[in-house]
Amino acid sequence: MIARQISRLDRGEVTARQLAVACLAEIADRDAHLRCFLEVDRAGALDQAQASDRRRRDGRTLGPLDGIPVAVKANLAVEGFAWSGGIDARSEITAARDAPAVDALRASGAVILGTTNLPDAALGAVTANPWFGVCRNPRLPGRHAGGSSGGSAAAVAAGMALVALGSDTMGSVRIPAAWCGVAGWKPSEGLVPTVGLLPLSARLDTVGLLASTAEELMVTAKAAGFLSPSPPDRQPPHLLVPVDLVERTEPGIQDVFWGAVAELGWKPEKIRLGLDPTRVRLAGLLALEAEAYLFYREALHANPQGFSPEARSLLEYAEAAPAWKLARSYRILDGVRRRMAELLTTAQHILALPTTPYPPVRIGDPVPPELADLTAFVNAVGGCAISIPVLTVAGGPVGLQLVGRPRGDWFLLRTAREATERLAS
C-alpha cells in the first residue's frame, strides 16, 4: 500500500490531500464502532497534506514518506494532543513537543492524523479501555484487536492510516499486528528513541512500527532514519525453530505454522529454547510494574479513580512486592539474555515461531494471561522481532514471528520480506 501510494504521489495520480481525506473518511465512517482513535485532528492533517502537495509541486519533497498518513499510539507525545497513555488521570495533559520518533516521521513529511487507542498505561494484551472503549478487530469486529498497540494495528488494518507508531514492552506491537493481519516490527533496543514515550520499563520498552507488509515497514524505517542506509548481505537465514514454544500454541496454529515453515524452504533447525516463557513473562511483568509504579506513583495516589481497576492492581502489586522478587525477576531476564546470545551468534540466525498462542479472543470472553508468552522473551534480550501476516486459522489471523539478535534489524526485515514473498507465491 505505501509503496503503491508513494509511486502514485510521484506520478501525480493522487495528492497527499486526497490520501488524507480518504483516511479521514474511513475514520468518520467506521471509528465510532471500531474505536481505533482517541483524537483526530482533521484540520491539522489536511494542512499538513496541503503543505506536502506544495513541496511536491516545487520539487522539494522531504523523502518517500512525504504525504503518507500516519497514526500514533497515545502513549507517545504528539505536540498539541493529549498525552494520556489512555489514562483518565492524564487526560488533561497536552504534549508540548513531539517525541523524537514522531518528529522523525513528521520531518520525513508524514501526515500525522491523530492518536490511537490503548489499554490505560499500555498495561494489557487487549485494548479494552474503560474511558475510550474496546478497540475492535477490523477483520473480525466481534473479536479483540489485541494490545497494547491495538488502536494502531486496527487503524492500519482498517485503512484509516497507512502506517502507525506503537510501543512494545512484552509484545504490544506484535500481538495486535498478528491478530489484525498486518505487519508489526519491534526494533532492537535503542534503535528507535523512546524519549517521549510514557514509560513502563527502561529495559523492555521499545517504539515500533505497524504497516500492511514487511516491505512497507522497511520503507518507513529507512525513510524515518530508524535504519542505516547500508543494505544487508545476501546470505540466506539460518532458521531456528524453538519447538518447546511452538508446542504451547493451539494445534491448528501448529499445523499452519509447520506448513508455512516447510514452504519457506530454508531447512529449519529444530531446537529447544529451554526457557519457561510464562516465568519469563511474569519476570518482565514485575519489572515493568515496579518501574511504572515509580513513574505513576504520585498520579496514582492523587487520583486512583483515574486509573482502571486492572492498572491499579498491577501498579499496587509492585508497591507491595518484596524486593527479593524484583531481584529474582531481573536475574531471570539476565538468564534469557545469556541464552539468546548463545543461540543467535550471527545476524543470519533467525528464530521462527507463531506470534500468538491463540487466535483473536472474542470480545466478552476471558482474556488468557499467557498471550505474551511467545513475545516477551525478545524484550528481555533487547533483540529485534517482526510479526508478518501469513498465518491464519479458523479463529482468525495469528502471525508468523521472526526474531533476530540485537541490531540485526536489517537482516530480519529483509528475511521477513522474502518470507512474505515465498509464502505468497
Side-chain angles (χ1 to χ4, degrees):
M1 179 82 70
I2 292 175
R4 177 172 175 267
Q5 297 300 356
I6 290 171
S7 179
R8 294 182 70 208
L9 285 166
D10 289 342
R11 293 197 301 267
E13 296 175 2
V14 69
T15 65
R17 189 180 192 283
Q18 287 171 331
L19 290 181
V21 167
C23 288
L24 291 166
E26 287 294 329
I27 295 169
D29 185 48
R30 302 179 66 192
D31 199 48
H33 180 59
L34 294 179
R35 302 303 303 133
C36 302
F37 282 85
L38 299 191
E39 285 187 88
V40 176
D41 181 10
R42 178 181 176 84
L46 293 177
D47 286 345
Q48 294 170 67
Q50 289 170 332
S52 174
D53 287 331
R54 288 194 294 272
R55 289 192 294 270
R56 185 163 268 101
R57 284 196 300 270
D58 295 342
R60 52 184 182 88
T61 58
L62 299 176
L65 294 182
D66 208 330
I68 296 298
V70 170
V72 180
K73 189 176 180 180
N75 59 349
L76 281 157
V78 182
E79 183 178 354
F81 285 79
W83 190 19
S84 68
I87 305 165
D88 187 59
R90 290 184 57 90
S91 60
E92 301 302 317
I93 298 175
T94 300
R97 62 184 63 85
D98 288 336
V102 177
D103 183 60
L105 289 173
R106 202 189 292 276
S108 69
V111 174
I112 308 299
L113 297 170
T115 55
T116 57
N117 200 358
L118 70 164
D120 63 326
L123 291 169
V126 299
T127 301
N129 191 293
W131 299 284
F132 303 109
V134 174
C135 183
R136 295 177 177 272
N137 192 319
R139 302 185 190 279
L140 299 160
R143 296 177 184 258
H144 282 288
S148 63
S149 304
S152 289
V156 171
M160 297 176 182
L162 298 190
V163 67
L165 281 172
S167 65
D168 190 311
T169 304
M170 296 180 72
S172 289
V173 161
R174 289 161 286 159
I175 292 169
W179 279 5
C180 290
V182 299
W185 170 50
K186 175 236 171 292
S188 294
E189 178 182 8
L191 193 64
V192 180
T194 55
V195 175
L197 172 70
L198 292 177
L200 288 178
S201 168
R203 176 171 182 159
L204 305 176
D205 285 345
T206 52
V207 173
L209 286 171
L210 299 108
S212 294
T213 66
E215 172 68 26
E216 294 181 4
L217 291 175
M218 290 185 73
V219 170
T220 303
K222 287 189 290 184
F226 299 150
L227 287 175
S228 68
S230 302
D233 59 54
R234 290 293 177 181
Q235 296 183 48
H238 180 174
L239 216 59
L240 305 173
V241 179
V243 293
D244 46 345
L245 295 193
V246 176
E247 289 167 353
R248 289 175 171 263
T249 68
E250 288 188 349
I253 295 177
Q254 294 182 40
D255 290 343
V256 297
F257 169 76
W258 288 117
V261 167
E263 287 184 49
L264 288 174
W266 282 326
K267 298 180 180 179
E269 177 186 349
K270 295 181 180 180
I271 63 166
R272 300 196 77 83
L273 201 58
L275 300 169
D276 181 345
T278 299
R279 192 166 182 255
V280 173
R281 170 177 55 81
L282 291 176
L285 183 61
L286 180 55
L288 73 85
E289 287 168 338
E291 294 182 53
Y293 177 76
L294 282 176
F295 182 80
Y296 289 114
R297 181 171 178 266
E298 290 186 12
L300 181 67
H301 288 290
N303 182 11
Q305 300 307 312
F307 292 78
S308 70
E310 294 78 14
R312 281 203 312 273
S313 175
L314 291 170
L315 295 172
E316 289 169 352
Y317 177 80
E319 182 180 32
W324 67 265
K325 285 191 174 182
L326 182 59
R328 182 181 63 184
S329 290
Y330 283 113
R331 184 173 297 178
I332 291 169
L333 298 178
D334 288 341
V336 179
R337 190 178 289 260
R338 288 192 297 271
R339 174 58 177 148
M340 293 297 287
E342 294 170 358
L343 288 172
L344 306 180
T345 57
T346 71
Q348 285 73 41
H349 286 95
I350 300 290
L351 288 180
L353 67 159
T355 308
T356 59
Y358 310 109
V361 174
R362 294 183 187 277
I363 294 170
D365 284 356
V367 178
E370 63 271 16
L371 283 178
D373 275 10
L374 306 185
T375 54
F377 74 95
V378 184
N379 298 74
V381 177
C384 52
I386 185 172
S387 178
I388 54 176
V390 296
L391 299 185
T392 300
V393 296
V398 291
L400 171 64
Q401 183 180 196
L402 302 175
V403 178
R405 66 181 298 180
R407 299 289 169 152
D409 298 78
W410 243 122
F411 190 84
L412 176 82
L413 288 168
R414 182 177 75 80
T415 300
R417 180 182 64 186
E418 187 174 346
T420 303
E421 292 169 351
R422 289 184 176 216
L423 293 173
S425 62

